[in-house]
Amino acid sequence: MDAVTLRGGTPVEREQFSPDQSWMPKLVLLAKSTYVWLDQMSKRYRQDIRHLDEIPDVELDALAARGFTGLWLIGLWRRSEASRRIKHLRGQPDAIASAYALDDYVLAEALGGLTAYENLRDRAWDRGIRLASDMVPNHVGIDGRWVIEHPDWFVQLSASPYPSYTFDGPDLSSDASVSVFIEDHYYDSSDAAVVFKRVERATGEARYLYHGNDGTSMPWNDTAQIDYLNPEAREAVIKTILQVARQFPIIRFDAAMTLAKRHVQRLWFPESKAGGAIPSRAQYGSLSEEAFDRRMPHEFWREVVDRVADERPDTLLLAEAFWQMEGYFVRTLGMHRVYNSAFMTMMRDERNAEYRQLMKNVLEFEPGILGRFVNYMNNPDEETAVAQFGKDDKYFGVAVVMSTMPGLPMFGHGQIEGYSEKYGMEFRAAKREELPDPWLVERHRREIVPLLHRREQFAGVDGFLLFDLTTSEGTVNEDVFAYSNRFEDETSLVVYHNRSATARGWLTESAAFRVERRDTAPRIRRDLHEGLGILGGPGMFVVMREAITGLEHLYPADRLVHDGFYLELGAFEYRVYLDIREVGDEVGDLARLEEDLAGRGVASVERARQELRLRPLHPEGPSPG
């Protein structure tokens, strides 16, 4: 693809992607490593499934039945041939190219190309599922079309930055006009150069282009780093994003944080006194802050968000962003959704007080940020959810929180099935022969799937309140997550104890939250009964259905108003209260029933009420002969 026109035909504009953003809050995203998924389906259905249009309808039906409304297909674009060759030369003969070392933004011919994609898109849409794609704005493959045709768009030097570098290995380019060589020590993993060598075959002119790099570990040796001080390169990337948006209503941006201005400068154009995060850049790429600002005066992501809003307003933009930039990405840059890695790591490590404090800070600063978080228990770069959380109550407790918290819940490939293998971006197929865990799948069906189908009720922030569990000693149990939410006429209350212990206490008053987006806006608190929409009064009772057990519970309304809600929770215990309603007790039978139940749940409070009324007519035991 060039900056404007897709090769292989322009995607058909479809009315289904009209400017309508009402679906965005209800989105539940499932990630799939595309090649691995196709191979797994081939084995399961005992037929050769290689192209997107060969994915069986029954598979899409199953995704919709589980409550997924977004399908993120990882690795759809045409990949770098050099990336594949490097992996083979380094001892991975069964590897394909990395999903993030791209040749071009063309639907991969190996997956059936544009026609197969459109077939899958239409069938998924018929089931209410939107497709999501990656966009990799930081870099391309070292033999990518832009490297061949637009070498000026990349961070580079005219000479090797270190005399010890040698580039005598095989030519990795398949283009007749350009040769490409990576540094020789990559092949035996004895060193990792920051540049590769690009040579014009006709003239012998050599350029040394930097590999993609985030400064945290090794350079990505099959990629070339785009130069974001080059306005032509920036514009080309934005036009590419707009082209991707014409095909996909959801775009996930890989390593988005590396393109914030502060990190473009820190990584590639550091001030001379700063030292630099990437070797040789302080020596060869140093710029003063003033000079850097002249060449990159605006935030790249702010321009992307604004351009997409003008040209493709029905597109959801999702950023992979770390380095404590989540709030900046949504508040300042306007990104629609941003990774919330703290959810996974802090819930896994039971750093409960830290995560609750993070939530409180967001609520006091700007509650709307909670609704922009992508919460997940694993992502493709992390170990699997079952490897991190197990398969028992802790796993399901965190999954319940993920499914009922504001924002966007994202499930990993094989998470529901209980797969333990982490799939590399170069995998053509899974290396382990794993079968779905039927117990785990069934428990998801009972406990998680019904919540996903009610996702709209939990997604918003306007009616969200966070509560402390206060013990009888007056201290706060930081291991309990408790929150209510209101959407239209629906109210919910979710509680989860993220510790192997027992918790007891009362929910009474919410954490402080900011009511308006103004620095001077007041922070207020609300009582639990306000959050649940309970008024109280003589003869009034509250009925709640606990979603996990399906049982209804009965509470005197005035007790909830004046005392709050008392809880006793075991290790990793979770409850989700739905269908909360206030009912009157005109004849006193609800008071009798509440006393009779003593906190126990029943299948139906109304049915139990009727049975209680009829009990004198049906004495226990057989009638006299």
Side-chain angles (χ1 to χ4, degrees):
M1 176 194 84
D2 60 28
V4 180
T5 306
L6 281 172
R7 293 176 178 173
T10 302
V12 177
E13 295 287 345
R14 294 175 54 83
E15 291 182 2
Q16 67 187 43
F17 299 136
S18 60
D20 171 18
Q21 299 179 351
S22 62
W23 56 273
M24 294 182 182
K26 297 176 282 188
L27 184 64
V28 179
L29 195 60
L30 174 65
K32 287 288 187 183
S33 176
T34 305
Y35 285 91
V36 173
W37 188 34
L38 294 176
D39 183 72
Q40 289 170 334
M41 284 187 287
S42 296
K43 294 172 180 174
R44 187 161 66 254
Y45 294 109
R46 298 182 180 180
Q47 64 186 74
D48 196 23
I49 301 173
R50 294 181 180 272
H51 296 162
L52 300 178
D53 56 352
E54 296 166 349
I55 294 174
D57 283 344
V58 66
E59 189 77 8
L60 300 178
D61 292 338
L63 298 183
R66 287 174 173 172
F68 295 114
T69 55
L71 178 59
W72 168 24
L73 295 170
I74 302 168
L76 291 178
W77 304 113
R78 181 187 294 162
R79 305 188 188 194
S80 159
E81 176 62 19
S83 175
R84 183 190 67 81
R85 290 189 62 194
I86 291 169
K87 295 181 188 309
H88 288 193
L89 290 167
R90 296 186 69 197
Q92 295 178 271
D94 57 345
I96 57 177
S98 168
Y100 297 136
L102 299 180
D103 171 62
D104 206 349
Y105 283 89
V106 174
L107 274 302
E109 293 83 354
L111 297 173
L114 180 62
T115 301
Y117 159 72
E118 289 178 340
N119 172 278
L120 176 63
R121 176 198 64 191
D122 294 348
R123 290 188 294 126
W125 173 252
D126 289 341
R127 293 158 175 81
I129 300 172
R130 287 170 167 83
L131 298 187
S133 168
D134 282 296
M135 198 280 163
V136 189
N138 185 67
H139 51 262
V140 301
I142 60 173
D143 60 340
R145 192 172 61 79
W146 284 4
V147 171
I148 305 301
E149 299 178 6
H150 302 284
D152 292 338
W153 291 358
F154 297 89
V155 179
Q156 62 193 273
L157 299 171
S158 58
S160 174
Y162 297 108
S164 61
Y165 285 179
T166 60
F167 301 89
D168 299 324
D171 184 353
L172 298 172
S173 172
S174 56
D175 187 270
S177 62
V178 172
S179 293
V180 171
F181 306 90
I182 64 169
E183 207 277 328
D184 295 328
H185 294 90
Y186 264 126
Y187 291 110
D188 61 7
S189 300
S190 61
D191 200 352
V194 293
V195 297
F196 66 97
K197 185 177 181 179
R198 177 196 182 278
V199 180
E200 291 282 348
R201 288 178 177 169
T203 65
E205 177 195 10
R207 300 176 187 236
Y208 295 84
L209 277 58
Y210 278 82
H211 290 297
N213 200 325
D214 67 359
T216 63
S217 56
M218 306 287 276
W220 303 313
N221 71 324
D222 51 4
T223 69
Q225 174 68 41
I226 297 172
D227 181 1
Y228 273 80
L229 295 195
N230 185 321
E232 188 178 354
R234 288 200 304 270
E235 179 63 16
V237 174
I238 292 174
K239 287 182 176 177
T240 301
I241 290 170
L242 292 169
Q243 289 288 14
V244 173
R246 291 186 177 94
Q247 293 179 280
F248 291 90
I250 306 164
I251 304 177
R252 180 260 187 194
F253 294 113
D254 181 66
M257 68 285 181
T258 61
L259 301 183
K261 274 188 64 176
R262 72 184 76 166
H263 292 302
V264 172
Q265 182 175 23
R266 178 181 66 86
L267 293 170
W268 300 108
F269 306 99
E271 294 187 90
S272 57
K273 61 184 179 183
I278 294 174
S280 79
R281 291 310 298 169
Q283 180 180 357
Y284 294 108
S286 179
L287 286 177
S288 68
E289 187 168 352
E290 181 182 7
F292 177 82
D293 284 338
R294 281 199 306 269
R295 296 183 62 184
M296 191 175 182
H298 307 296
E299 285 281 14
F300 168 75
W301 287 120
R302 183 71 258 179
E303 186 173 0
V304 167
V305 170
D306 292 344
R307 292 273 291 275
V308 170
D310 287 340
E311 300 185 38
R312 296 299 299 178
D314 53 345
T315 306
L316 182 72
L317 305 180
L318 189 162
E320 179 193 34
F322 306 118
W323 302 343
Q324 298 180 331
M325 294 198 72
E326 296 86 348
Y328 183 73
F329 259 79
V330 297
R331 180 179 171 87
T332 302
L333 303 183
M335 192 64 67
H336 303 152
R337 300 290 185 273
V338 65
Y339 271 31
N340 180 24
S341 60
F343 178 86
M344 177 188 71
T345 57
M346 292 184 183
M347 297 296 277
R348 178 195 64 204
D349 299 340
E350 297 173 22
R351 291 155 55 191
N352 301 318
E354 288 182 63
Y355 194 70
R356 293 186 72 252
Q357 188 59 53
L358 182 152
M359 293 178 66
K360 290 180 178 181
N361 292 343
V362 171
L363 289 169
E364 289 200 39
F365 178 65
E366 186 178 331
I369 292 175
L370 280 183
R372 303 285 191 94
F373 282 157
V374 179
N375 298 317
Y376 52 87
M377 297 172 68
N378 79 299
N379 66 58
D381 296 321
E382 306 286 348
E383 293 300 324
T384 63
V386 295
Q388 297 190 76
F389 293 90
K391 292 185 177 182
D392 294 317
D393 288 347
K394 177 172 180 173
Y395 169 90
F396 281 96
V398 176
V400 162
V401 175
M402 182 176 75
S403 302
T404 58
M405 191 76 78
L408 167 57
M410 182 173 73
F411 287 74
H413 185 150
Q415 180 172 338
I416 287 179
E417 294 84 356
Y419 294 161
S420 61
E421 184 174 12
K422 174 185 174 183
Y423 307 124
M425 289 300 140
E426 73 285 0
F427 278 25
R428 186 190 302 276
K431 298 185 184 300
R432 301 176 189 170
E433 290 290 338
E434 296 189 274
L435 296 175
D437 182 331
W439 179 86
L440 197 73
V441 172
E442 173 59 20
R443 190 165 173 183
H444 272 100
R445 186 195 65 78
R446 292 195 319 268
E447 300 185 6
I448 305 301
V449 168
L451 302 178
L452 299 183
H453 281 290
R454 298 180 67 143
R455 179 61 200 157
E456 189 172 22
Q457 182 176 342
F458 308 114
V461 178
D462 290 346
F464 179 85
L465 296 173
L466 177 70
F467 294 93
D468 291 335
L469 183 76
T470 305
T471 68
S472 57
E473 293 80 22
T475 60
V476 172
N477 188 325
E478 296 285 1
D479 297 322
V480 174
F481 293 84
Y483 48 92
S484 66
N485 211 335
R486 300 187 71 181
F487 174 75
E488 295 179 348
D489 296 330
E490 296 287 350
T491 304
S492 59
L493 175 64
V494 179
V495 294
Y496 168 56
H497 181 210
N498 194 34
R499 185 76 69 188
S500 181
T502 300
R504 298 181 181 86
W506 297 86
L507 305 180
T508 55
E509 187 180 59
S510 78
F513 63 96
R514 185 172 173 174
V515 293
E516 298 177 36
R517 186 173 176 173
R518 290 185 293 109
D519 290 340
T520 58
R523 277 68 167 170
I524 67 171
R525 300 174 185 268
R526 289 206 172 104
D527 290 334
L528 176 72
H529 71 89
E530 295 178 280
L532 300 181
I534 296 169
L535 299 176
M540 299 301 295
F541 282 78
V542 176
V543 180
M544 303 181 183
R545 182 176 65 83
E546 204 286 299
I548 307 303
T549 63
L551 300 179
E552 290 190 338
H553 295 260
L554 185 65
Y555 304 95
D558 273 352
R559 185 188 303 166
L560 291 177
V561 170
H562 298 300
D563 300 335
F565 189 44
Y566 181 73
L567 287 168
E568 293 189 7
L569 300 168
F572 305 113
E573 186 175 351
Y574 47 93
R575 301 178 195 169
V576 181
Y577 294 99
L578 303 172
D579 305 328
I580 299 172
R581 60 195 186 275
E582 204 166 3
V583 295
D585 186 19
E586 296 84 0
V587 297
D589 49 5
L590 284 179
R592 292 171 52 209
L593 179 61
E594 191 271 332
E595 183 179 359
D596 188 56
L597 292 175
R600 291 181 293 108
V602 291
S604 167
V605 164
E606 184 56 33
R607 188 181 309 130
R609 183 184 195 179
Q610 295 294 334
E611 291 174 355
L612 184 64
R613 289 175 177 174
L614 296 174
R615 189 176 296 173
L617 301 179
H618 300 282
E620 295 182 5
S623 301

